[in-house]
Amino acid sequence: MNLLLKSAIIVHPTDGKLHRKKRDILIKKGRIEKIAAKIAPESGTKVITFKNLHVSIGWFDSGVCFGEPGYEERETIANGLFTAAKSGFTDVILNSDTHPVPDSSSDIVFLKNVAESQATNLYPLGTLTSLAHGESLAELYDMKQSGAVGFYDYQSPIKNSNLLKIALQYCQNFDGLVYSFPLDMQIAGKGVVNEGPAAMKLGLKGIPALSEELQIARDLYILEYAGGRLHIPTITTAGAVKLISEAKKKGLDVSCSVAIHHLWFTDEVLEGFDTNFKVLPPLRNKTDIKALLKGVKDGVVDFVTTDHSPMDIEQKRVEFDNAAFGTLGLESAFGVLQQLFDLDQTISILTRGRERFGIPLSALKPGEMANLCLFDPTTEITLKKDSLYSTSKNNAFEGTLLKGSVHGIINGEQILI
């Protein structure tokens, strides 16, 4: 199908010739044919028009969970990718939060096959260790050859320091990316929220910032010794930002991400015992948020992820201590980020980072495959549960005023608008 986007304002901060220019964009057989001030539609061309239409490169999320296989009641891959597409994302990395976990090449092949023919591309992570038990390395090389973009025992800290060292050394043979979740379980204990005044007031066990920073300090020392490529997902503290900044200045090959909810909420929202705010790592304080936001702007924090984690109602409508960790994030991502950053910064955040995982990116120019997000940055919408595409409804941002709305995506010949 041939498409013609009419009067689209292009948001492309790295392209001075196109950035903020209103242009028509002609797409033929999934490839950008022409970008011009005015293009007359040919016969058989579908014309797409929206009021205040804006277009950018398709968005990228470095960490989502869906559930399939094993937890399809939370979210199937098909519905998860549909949700991602309706939220503006053309590429997502799938965390290893399934049952069974993906610890072999056949598991990676299964995930990729299930995701075929969807508008949003799925890039799976394999587990770092067999069964994600933290005892012996999984089939890392084979999974890499099958399409795994990294290795992560989802939200399970690597307790064995020597295992992390060996993983970093081994993965250098095939440019593998090792994940390490930033949590020292001996310090965190049975904590469920941030250690601080809010935890004391509510009578909940706390997880101190030390538990995150101690683990990161250990990991960075091992990285400096062993070499290799390390990714630290969902950091939450000012101390973590400082440690990673210093490591990057040393030249260590380390990247990190922060979840959007850790940029927006403090642990003060826990007063109502709403389990949608129970996330791991926990929500921290205003000082941490300030440091995280600065880290994103300075580039110390490489990615802002939704950390989209569907949980069915049975896992959330229980006592706070017994509730599962996790919140949705895909549908609210754009609208929340625009409240924290200006439009150019928001689009830069949503489009950067693919190269860390070896994911190709089509440029926004004639001859390239179309990899586009269509949106309106000015619409204001209050997020409501009945407007969510996700099967699960555990969204901490319910009731939040979002700035901006997404029309959909064009990803090659896959169109979801």
Side-chain angles (χ1 to χ4, degrees), residues 226-393:
R229 303 170 64 228
L230 179 67
H231 180 66
I232 302 173
T234 58
I235 66 169
T236 64
T237 74
V241 176
K242 183 179 179 182
L243 285 166
I244 293 169
S245 176
E246 291 170 350
K248 288 187 172 186
K249 288 176 183 177
K250 288 182 180 180
L252 300 186
D253 193 349
V254 59
S255 57
C256 67
S257 66
V258 62
I260 294 175
H261 45 265
H262 287 122
L263 298 175
W264 185 260
F265 298 112
T266 69
D267 57 359
E268 294 175 1
V269 299
L270 297 170
E271 188 169 336
F273 291 97
D274 186 340
T275 58
N276 286 333
F277 296 119
K278 185 181 179 182
V279 292
L280 191 69
L283 302 174
R284 302 290 186 181
N285 59 43
K286 292 178 181 178
T287 300
D288 293 314
I289 286 182
K290 184 177 179 180
L292 291 167
L293 288 169
K294 185 176 186 301
V296 172
K297 292 176 181 177
D298 294 345
V300 174
V301 178
D302 301 87
F303 319 109
V304 177
T305 176
T306 65
D307 199 26
H308 183 84
S309 185
M311 291 292 166
D312 56 66
I313 193 169
E314 287 82 2
Q315 293 171 301
K316 282 294 188 178
R317 191 171 289 178
V318 293
E319 296 85 355
F320 198 94
D321 274 335
N322 297 326
F325 292 101
T327 178
L328 302 181
L330 283 169
E331 293 110 320
S332 51
F334 179 54
V336 172
L337 285 175
Q338 271 218 107
Q339 308 250 38
L340 297 169
F341 306 95
D342 63 35
L343 179 59
D344 288 1
Q345 290 173 322
T346 297
I347 298 304
S348 293
I349 289 166
L350 287 168
T351 55
R352 72 192 189 194
R354 288 173 172 90
E355 66 280 356
R356 180 64 171 168
F357 305 92
I359 297 172
L361 173 65
S362 298
L364 209 167
K365 63 181 182 181
E368 294 283 335
M369 292 299 295
N371 182 281
L372 306 173
C373 175
L374 284 61
F375 60 95
D376 180 350
T378 60
T379 309
E380 292 189 346
I381 302 170
T382 298
L383 186 67
K384 297 181 180 179
K385 185 177 293 186
D386 58 9
S387 67
L388 297 173
Y389 298 105
S390 298
T391 304
S392 295
K393 306 301 178 183

Side-chain angles (χ1 to χ4, degrees), residues 38-108:
K38 190 171 184 180
I39 301 174
E42 302 173 358
S43 177
T45 298
K46 181 179 180 180
V47 179
I48 296 176
T49 59
F50 288 103
K51 182 181 178 182
N52 197 33
L53 174 60
H54 285 60
V55 173
S56 75
I57 291 171
W59 301 343
F60 166 65
D61 192 343
S62 63
V64 301
C65 299
F66 292 148
E68 186 179 0
Y71 304 118
E72 287 84 356
E73 72 280 3
R74 300 178 187 175
E75 191 88 272
T76 62
I77 288 175
N79 195 72
L81 292 176
F82 174 80
T83 300
K86 295 296 287 186
S87 303
F89 294 89
T90 55
D91 301 281
V92 298
I93 290 179
L94 182 67
N95 288 320
S96 54
D97 185 31
T98 58
H99 182 73
V101 295
D103 64 352
S104 68
S105 59
S106 60
D107 295 323
I108 300 300

